[in-house]
Amino acid sequence: MTKTYGRVHALDQVDLDIRSGEFLTLLGPSGSGKTTLLMVLAGFTRPDSGSLKFGDTEVIRMPPHRRDLGMVFQNYALFPHMTVAGNIAYPLRLRGIGRAEREARVVRALETVQLGGYGGRRIDQLSGGQRQRVALARAIVFEPRILLMDEPLSALDKKLRDRMQIELRHLHEQLGMTTVYVTHDQREALTMSDRIAVIDHGRLMQLGAPREIYDRPANRFVADFIGESAFLPVRRKGAEILCAGRPLATESPAPEGEKLLAILRPERLQLLDGSVPPEINAFPATVSELVYQGDSFLMAARLEDGTELTLRDVVRRDTFAELPGPGSAVTLGLHARDTVLIPDDGAGAAP
Ligand code: ADP
Ligand code: MG
């Protein structure tokens, strides 16, 4: 599907197959089209062109209330004058479900989100995390076939957000509902998802399981947006891959084309010392900075060609003081199995 607003391509020929029962996350920077895609799924936005099917049924003209969707937004959108139970019962009331059945379902939904006994509370007597769970209970109480969530945790503080990520994941395992989740937070996406759809400028950049997305990014945008990366230009020459004139060992298949980039992640680099086995690519460098961060340290080092690399490793007791400081010559190593190549598409860095 495609959706434009003036000259902005909010969705640019997005083609996506969501599996029944999966937890799929739409991940991308602000303005990349995530909410637009969710609104198209929900039926609040009509794309300029394209098709949307639930199973074999075309639903592009189906109004939102007939699509059987539960929705949770960033700002909860609860009714402040109603009790917790009143809020959760609301979608059941809309569907004409009788009182006894309503009450039983509300109790069950409250237990599912671990708010048993909170039915009589007013919304303004709840914390942010509790309100978010009420919003979730309201979205699942009528057992929709699809659950849509748009940055539902972004208003919560970090500790609560971390806990809610795990809770939402458990809830998904328990209910098995097809879930489409929107976030701009890559760690959140990696933590929660069966699969991640990475979006930029309305285009689908990669679709895959968290480890595929992280370990085998398809292009520079994905490698840069998810995790940290430095990029080194490499060239294909016959069967060989050359980096600064020297052969580069890699266990991953190289993409098409002559001009490629090697991805260097801080946590995959290691500090070499002594002889270098053939499965390790060695990069001579000069340390420019060494930073202590408690559980880990960061070492920034410059290669001969000026490329800045960063290495991160855990701090083991008493060893930090022995690490080479600024100005020291070091050799950084990257194992062949961690040496991943992407096409050099000439695109700049992600924002
Ligand atoms: P995200 O949720 O990833 O931050 P959105 O889907 O909200 O991104 O927006 C994608 C692009 O479409 C942005 O450039 C945004 O400004 C534009 N856009 C979204 N909705 C509208 C609208 N109703 N009118 C005009 N432009 C819009
Ligand atoms: Mg949005």
Side-chain angles (χ1 to χ4, degrees), residues 5-6 8-11 28-37 150-151 182:
Y5 291 107
V8 175
H9 277 74
L11 297 176
S30 174
S32 57
K34 306 180 296 295
T35 295
T36 303
L37 182 48
D150 195 352
E151 315 231 8
V182 164

Side-chain angles (χ1 to χ4, degrees), residues 4 63 134-135 155 177 192 229 233 295 326 339:
T4 54
V134 174
M177 209 178 283
M192 302 180 75
S229 281
D295 58 344
T339 306

